[in-house]
Amino acid sequence: MPATEKTWRDQKLVHVVFGCTGLLMLIATVWMFAADHSREWKDYQRKMRSVDVRMTEWRMADEKARISQAEKTDLETKVLAAEAEAPPEALFSAFLTGVEDEGEKKRLNELYQTAAKTDLPPDVRREHRAELIRVMGVAVKRAEFDEDDLLSQRKFQSADYDERRAQYDLAVRDGLQDRMQELDKQVVAEREARDALNLKYEAAKARRVQLQNSLSAINKTITKLNEDIVAKDDEFNRLATSLDERQATYFTSSVPFLGKKWLELPVLDAFNSPLKIDNLWTENLSISNGSFGTVTRFDRCTTCHKSIDKTAPGSAVDPLYPHEYEVVFELILPESAPQSVVDEEGNSEKPSLLSVYGIELASEGLISASDVTIRRVDPNSLAAFARLVSGQGESQDGLMVGDVITYVNQDKVLSSDQAKRYLLDNARWGTTAQIRVQRGLPHPYSSHPRLDLFVGSLSPHKLSVFGCSICHEGQGSATEFKWVSHSPNSPGQQKDWAREYGWFNNHHWIYPMYPDRFSESSCLKCHHEVVELALTDRFEEPPAPKLMKGYNLILDYGCYGCHEINGYNGPDKRIGPDMRLEPNYFAAAAQVKSDPNFKDLDKDQKSWVDQLIYHPTRNHVRHELLSFLQNDFLSKEPVLTSVAHDQIVVLEDVETPGTLRKTGPSLRHIAEKVGSEWLYDWIKDPTSFRPSTKMPRFFGQWRHLDGQEKELSKRYEPIEILGLVTYLLDESQPQTFLSAPSGMTESTAEEQVSRGRVLFETRGCLACHQHDDFPYATASQGPELSNIGNKFDLPGTPDAERWMYTWLKNPNLYHPRTKMPDLYLEVIERPDGTKTDPASDIAMFLLDSKNDWAPEAGTADRLKLDEEGLKNLDGLLFEHLKAKMAVRDVEETIKNNKIPAHVMENITGAELLLSGEIDTNKKLEYIGYRTISKYGCYACHDIPGFEDAKPIGAALADWGRKDPSKLAFEHIAEYLHHAHGHGGHGGDDHGDHSHEPEGIQTVDEPEEGEDLAEHKRQLAFDVEFYSEKVNDHDRAGFIWQKLREPRSYDYAKARNKDSFNDRLRMPMFPFNYKDREAVITFVLGLVSEPPSPEFVFQPSAEREAIISGTKVLEKFNCKGCHIMEPEQWSIEFAEGHFGPQGGNPNEAFPFMRPNFTTEEVEESLEIDKQRSLFHGHLVGMPTIDRDGVQVVYDEEGDPVEEDYEYDPQTLLYSFDLWAPALLEGEAYQVGLNPLEIPASMITNQREALGGDLTKWLLPRVVELARETDPQADGKQAYGWLPPPLNGEGQKVQSDWLHEFLLEPYTIRPATFMRMPKFNMSPKDATDLVSYFASRDNAVYPYEYTEWTEQNRLNRDNAHYEAIVAELPEAERPPGDTRLEQAMNIITSNDYCVKCHIVADYDPGGSLLAKAPDLSTVNRRLRPNYLRHWIAKPTQLLPYTPMPINIQFNADLPHYGGVSQQLFHGTSIDQVDAVVDLLMNYSRYSNSRANVAELVKPADTPEQGAAETTEAAANDTVPATGSAGG
Amino acid sequence: MHGNEDQFLEGVSGFLGTYFLLLSIMNAIAAYYCWQRLKKNDLAGLWMGFAVLFLVMSPFGYAGVNGSPETMKWIGVPSVIKDFVDLQLANAVAYTLGTTLLLVVLYFGRRFFVKPVVAWIGLNLSLMVTGMSIIDMEFAAIVTKPDNVPIVAMVFLLGFFTWLAGYRAVQNDDRHEQGLEPLEALDNEKVLVWPDLVYTEMICMVALTAILILWAIGLTAPLEEPASSVKTPNPSKAPWYFLGLQEMLVYFDPWMAGVVLPSLVVVGLMAIPFLDYNKEGNGYYTINQRKFAYITFQLGFLELWITLIILGTFLRGPNWNFFGPYEIWDPHKVEALNSISLSQYFWVKGLGVALPSAPEGSDMLTQIGFITYREFPGILITLAYFIVLPPLMAVTVFKSFFVKMGFVRYMVMANLLLFMALLPLKMVLRWTLNLQYIINVPEYFLNL
């Protein structure tokens, strides 16, 4: 068919269709551009920019108002006055000497005469002076010109000279003799010309410099004044500059038109728009994307969070825009309604907020247009003086620019008009109004709250290096809210986010951001030792308090016993915190000792075992024992049995051994301690006997069980407990006991108990234990002992008195790895001749500590099985055995009470307990063994037979990344929703309470001082948040419920488990919701993903020493007794608040004067511009009075009374400095009058680190001391208690401290308690020593000092002797050498020996007054410390009773000091001589022990040697040191 | 879970309201068209009824936005039906037999189903059920997954084109009976390149580009799980167009399902022109004139390809278990998969002896001999299937084919057909006998 002109389709229609599709295309394209143009982050950037610009403008205005115009005017007046003043004659003539031209000189002289005329009006004089200065300037210019001219002439001449020289050199090369001569002459001529010019030039230069200097000297005053004027505007100028910078980004000119904004228009914004995505990245900071490699992290978070790193003006760490928070003020209203003001032109102006209160409101808010925002606050207005009622952090009095008014009294403020109405029209004049404001900005406009720690340029985690997502997680490269994987902190927030930003839970991003509450988790990525995150001097607030709490809970409750946290991947690669049990060497050794054939070993072999039990860190001993055991095992006739041989595996080396001890007591000798009844009751429910126990509950967790499942638990659990009791008691091994010394003074039981009570209180027990008799002591290191007597007061208990005595005397005998120290409870002999044994007294007291507790009724019956019980026993036995042998064999076993022979042949392990005829006891023992294995009791306790048992729980090293699909959530959501969702006290109206399920509940008691209603509210939030997490199958939800009701995951699951033993076994810990969250925070942080090493925290050697030391401090609770660091107070005060400290500076030894750098002094002189206050930092302790009570005064200046309630802001504290302080540039010394600090001055008060016991006992020991000495002064009581250890590193010698820690001895006889001996390894002691040395910047480990240098001593001696020799006979002090004469001071009855023991000399008198032995000081104290100590003891220890013996007074001959009859020289010489003597005491005494005389020529040499040893021994007789210990 | 569900409902609410509103408008337009153009008032009334129904449903769809998400459930699929579908119908047997049955019904009732009225009602109902189902979280989760949205659209497209073909074919068949030429022949005119071809193409191009842009803005590319060598996603799914093949993996060895059968599909498609001897039906739609070709194609394409893709996309969940459309994709769901091979049936169950196996250490030939011996029942059956069946078919049902095609063409066709039939056969064997493989040679990864 031929083609026609007719088209197939109706062209009109096709055109229409085409038109439509074209339109669609257009829409799609426009939409595309619009979508790109309106990306979320661009809005945030625009908004941030406008906020920034407006805030800066407002702050500029604010600053302008603040600049004191009066001061400025004053300065300007001074400038004017100075400008009218003719230059001083002397300066002017100095200038003239530099002027060469006579005419000019003359003219200058004339001008000067004119200017010097004083009778003219100031402005004329000013003109004259200006003219003079101008002409002087001309003279300077001329001199400059002359100088330049000469300089260029000299240059030319130099060039000519160089040319000639070169020509000469060429001539030499070419051998042109004639020319050489000629050129040589020329060279000389040129050089002379140059030198002449140079002289001229130098003269001109000198002249110019002189003129210039004179002129600037003349102008100096005016220049300085002008600089001051400019400085007043500093802050303003800074703001102006920053405003300029910000505006420059989008205003190219002053025309307020688009400018660079052109580039932000749609489509155009694709090309170099000022709005840009920010990328933060650092090489090597990578993120792993699944398992296919890692890529560099690109964080774009700052694209929206623009101000995250901005600091407030004038501060390096305060956020510029804090995250929004509420502040409440009280605004004083004028007495009466203000009247309209009529101005000059007769316009009446109504009173406005500005005229009345001094505030002006912005036309629209910063973030939301309707915010009622303050844009101006006049200084000295009512608003500026609004009183702060409540607010967080640094809030101060006075409204601020940028505050958003939300409420006036109870009325919500929605618009500026409303605010005006409330404050002007409807105001109740003469009263006050409460104003609520919102301060700061919301996300993403706010700045980081901890710029001192993160993001800030001075912080350890700089934004440019670390970015954001390495800590916060989330998808850093995303630029849209919902894709970033922000994590809501509460279900409410989640809903808001979902609505506002389309947030959703993106399961596919494996690193969702940590919700706010877990944000500390990520610290663990790099801070593997954890303790470094505790509060340090560097930061005002602790960096990670929640995480630290979690860490300490895990440590205290021994979670690591079952759930190992292995911080190593291979021997050297650290991947996270390391919390593992130490190798079980001591238990293995103890088990070897229990071998039936142990008695056949020889002495050496036995000693290895004994040593290893008490010193498991002695590797050489262990290796000896190990190789012996290995050989014995392989030998044909082994001495020992399998009991010992089984320990070979335990004793072997471990690659990177764990370091933590088991948290519970040893049960190896349990039968020596308690009876079965108590044990049964305790295992069943530890809280029944001791509500505060850390032991979790294993039995009775039935709330998730129903019907039959629960019946099964009820039937088998008692059998399990009984099995445990049987096994523990039957397998218990005998213990060594100590017996009380004989010859004690007879006393009644009551007397013993009452003595024991006092001893318990004052011997340091309270540093670790609580007891109801002493409610003030709240330590929880050891168990609470309030009703400990009940434990031993049950039928079947072994000899309690004997056990308790031995335990107190030497705890290691019962448990070699206990942290309880040996308290050295030695027999006390009193002056009246009575002798008592403190250990028995305390034992009696403790055994007497009882209340009405009794084991649960029927416990005694449960220990004997009835018929039902026997049936259940067989049932449980069946459950256990069927896992090990065929059901048929099990049935046969139970029927015949004997394991069939064919089965028995192949049996190993626990079933061996059942060999032979099986009786009930055997069954119970077997059940006990299997139950211990099942519940992992050995994770916390040392149990015989479980030396090599492995942890039973899931390892936690990377739990924070555990795939949630690998967590068995089972039916937990249903359980929470339907059955018992809100178990515990947080229960709301869910479910029927009359039908409360049986079984133990979670603990959710409010903490002390916590409001009950608030607690309930928080608990409900907690449940809501985590339930949501459980529903989402989130790890946090899993662990939350696991900690709350560990076995609830068995809900509706237990019924289908094949065996009773397959049920969950985790016990329930007494955690409240805060504890749980802390533990969760810690565990979620265990991700074992350390970033590349440069980002991991690598402490300096000093810091590392402090970290290791801190761990030891915590382990042995050193802080329980000792104040490690005194209190630190930050204060702010008005100019002149603290007067000079007093004391004559001439009366301080020159080397004792506090030493501050100029920077420190300048810093202390810096004044807070906003409030004109100085800042100070005080280190010390609150003053205590004679009774040992802290001194606090009320408003009237009277001491506060105990029961009266005071407004804490009105109190006045008294503060003793323990370290020199700088206040307003003035140095304050230690040991002078206390400072009086009103509470209102204190901005931050950091508690003393440690020393709780000291705090509690201060008044108590004063009371006790007064029993013997009514004059005892409480101000010295610190000296009677465990000494504060601030500055310890500088004080004592390292090797002495090391020895002392391992083997403490009595330094001073007087103290109430003495340093106990801790169960510490040499490594622990070393860690502590280096901790002190590093903390106090002491030289460590070896200190070389000139004080003990023999040559120097000889020199000084010779020098001294020469001086003394010149003295008249009568004035010579007795003694031959310098040291001997120094001994005069010591032995003078007025000085040292008045209190101090010196070698064999004892001063006698009151024990409290007796001071340490001086002959051993040389081993203990560092020389410099000793020197300072002798010079001025109170400056080192403000509480010491030691007086200043050798006075210093620069105004006196010999600077004062002690009598010249004792020692010749100044007081400095005397101090130094005493130091020399004490530091070289052994040398000194050696020199006086004449061994040679003792050697009789005919005698054998041995005797002489023996004598020498004895003499040497005398020097180091452990005795005493100086006051303060 | 309540919190989540409310949030979910609020999330879909705006979309759902608009969806029903659009359906209502669509039907209103149809009603207007029937009333004004076609002058069919009864039809107009019917469509108007639908329009009103959807209009009523629309506010319920919007309820979530207005803060009462629970009222949305009133227009959801009743839970009785959902439970019935999930618990009774949701298994491979019901699904496969159901779709087969549906195809059979559609085929025989084609005269009824191709009526535009019926089709329009069908479209309305399916859109309505889809909309009602979206109120179910699980259904929505699968259907609205950004990857799956286009597949849903393609299901409707496929339905439309299948209907269109059937509609034309039925008309042509009718005309044929009346002795008229097919409809396509009426348009047998030559058309102009411009504007009929190029202009149309350009319009298509513009429209397609616009749609792609809108699609890209509306459905952003989803972030999927990061690839990990230690953790495969569960379920692991191939791209949608391979999901039919992936479904075959349930029944066949990877070697068969992944290599042999797909190759044969390609080869078979290439062979069609050479096998087709039927001169009728060229260039126009017809069913009656090409019954064999039509049925074979629809069986192969719709039944063995498309429905398996739908099954794989929407109904296969974690662990490749079958999940009903309203069922939670719970990885803990377990389906017992106990299947044994034919050789085990024969030797162990039938004869009560152990499987023959070569003595240890015997050489390769002996081993192969023993394997052959062990698998001889399967081998026999397979050989019989491919060697005996074609001649048998040639003399019985396919007699006329054999005559017209000749030996070679017939044998190729018959074998291709038999290969195609393997899949349904294997499915039935698996369901009924728990038969794993007919020939099972794990030693050489050779299973059938």
Side-chain angles (χ1 to χ4, degrees), chain A residues 8-9 15 18 291 508 963, chain B residues 196 199 202 223 228-229 231:
Chain A
W8 178 250
R9 294 190 183 85
H15 290 324
F18 176 68
S291 59
H508 293 318
D963 188 346
Chain B
D196 292 325
Y199 196 10
M202 195 179 79
L223 178 77
S228 165
S229 55
K231 190 186 170 232

Side-chain angles (χ1 to χ4, degrees), chain A residues 645-765:
Chain A
H645 294 150
D646 285 350
Q647 305 311 318
I648 291 175
V649 280
V650 190
L651 288 170
E652 277 166 354
D653 283 339
V654 179
E655 202 173 51
T656 33
T659 54
L660 299 174
R661 298 182 185 187
K662 290 182 175 177
T663 198
S666 167
L667 305 180
R668 190 165 289 274
H669 315 293
I670 184 77
E672 310 277 9
K673 180 179 175 187
V674 294
S676 52
E677 209 174 320
W678 183 85
L679 201 52
Y680 187 99
D681 189 80
W682 173 259
I683 294 172
K684 183 167 181 291
D685 176 10
T687 54
S688 147
F689 173 71
R690 182 180 295 142
S692 63
T693 184
K694 287 172 190 163
M695 167 127 166
R697 293 182 64 176
F698 285 86
F699 298 100
Q701 291 189 47
W702 301 333
R703 291 171 68 86
H704 59 285
L705 298 175
D706 276 328
Q708 251 193 326
E709 310 160 36
K710 184 154 64 187
E711 281 312 303
L712 203 60
S713 286
K714 281 186 174 175
R715 265 168 43 205
Y716 287 162
E717 284 189 358
I719 305 292
E720 285 187 322
I721 301 172
L722 192 54
L724 290 171
V725 171
T726 314
Y727 182 87
L728 290 175
L729 293 179
D730 286 4
E731 294 291 317
S732 171
Q733 293 163 4
Q735 180 203 346
T736 320
F737 284 101
L738 301 173
S739 50
S742 56
M744 295 298 107
T745 312
E746 285 289 319
S747 41
T748 63
E750 285 81 52
E751 281 169 354
Q752 277 203 296
V753 169
S754 79
R755 277 203 308 267
R757 177 176 290 112
V758 176
L759 286 165
F760 185 85
E761 187 180 14
T762 55
R763 269 304 177 94
C765 308

Side-chain angles (χ1 to χ4, degrees), chain A residues 1176-1301:
Chain A
H1177 187 74
L1178 308 176
V1179 177
M1181 293 297 284
T1183 313
I1184 52 168
D1185 64 11
R1186 288 189 60 83
D1187 297 331
V1189 182
Q1190 188 186 340
V1191 180
V1192 186
Y1193 303 106
D1194 65 9
E1195 247 170 322
E1196 271 89 59
D1198 301 323
V1200 292
E1201 287 155 41
E1202 219 173 281
D1203 306 324
Y1204 188 78
E1205 273 191 26
Y1206 295 92
D1207 178 355
Q1209 280 295 310
T1210 64
L1211 295 176
L1212 180 69
Y1213 296 100
S1214 183
F1215 192 84
D1216 280 334
L1217 287 177
W1218 284 24
L1222 263 180
L1223 298 171
E1224 222 189 312
E1226 179 94 10
Y1228 279 70
Q1229 294 184 24
V1230 180
L1232 295 174
N1233 295 331
L1235 296 171
E1236 304 219 316
I1237 315 280
S1240 54
M1241 242 187 214
I1242 304 167
T1243 54
N1244 190 25
Q1245 203 170 1
R1246 195 196 289 182
E1247 280 188 20
L1249 188 65
D1252 284 346
L1253 185 75
T1254 307
K1255 203 164 64 195
W1256 298 326
L1257 288 188
L1258 274 175
R1260 181 72 182 122
V1261 291
V1262 174
E1263 211 173 289
L1264 287 169
R1266 290 208 177 137
E1267 284 174 12
T1268 48
D1269 175 11
Q1271 296 306 310
D1273 185 354
K1275 288 183 177 166
Q1276 300 166 4
Y1278 280 116
W1280 308 333
L1281 290 165
L1285 297 181
N1286 55 317
E1288 185 73 3
Q1290 289 282 8
K1291 178 177 176 181
V1292 298
Q1293 297 174 26
S1294 304
D1295 44 356
W1296 174 86
L1297 184 57
H1298 190 258
E1299 275 167 40
F1300 181 75
L1301 286 168

Side-chain angles (χ1 to χ4, degrees), chain A residues 160-231:
Chain A
D160 287 346
Y161 167 58
D162 287 344
E163 188 189 351
R164 288 287 177 279
R165 271 201 311 176
Q167 282 171 352
Y168 173 77
D169 288 345
L170 293 178
V172 173
R173 182 197 66 190
D174 299 336
L176 304 172
Q177 288 295 337
D178 294 353
R179 194 161 159 69
M180 271 165 62
Q181 276 181 5
E182 186 194 335
L183 279 169
D184 190 40
K185 273 182 208 149
Q186 286 179 8
V187 166
V188 172
E190 295 283 1
R191 182 164 61 221
E192 277 163 2
R194 188 204 60 178
D195 290 350
L197 270 173
N198 195 35
L199 280 176
K200 272 193 195 167
Y201 162 71
E202 276 168 4
K205 186 181 176 187
R207 196 161 65 84
R208 191 259 309 162
V209 169
Q210 193 234 331
L211 285 174
Q212 247 173 7
N213 287 348
S214 309
L215 187 57
S216 57
I218 288 167
N219 280 330
K220 194 177 159 194
T221 329
I222 296 168
T223 318
K224 175 79 178 60
L225 285 168
N226 278 326
E227 272 172 10
D228 284 353
I229 293 172
V230 175

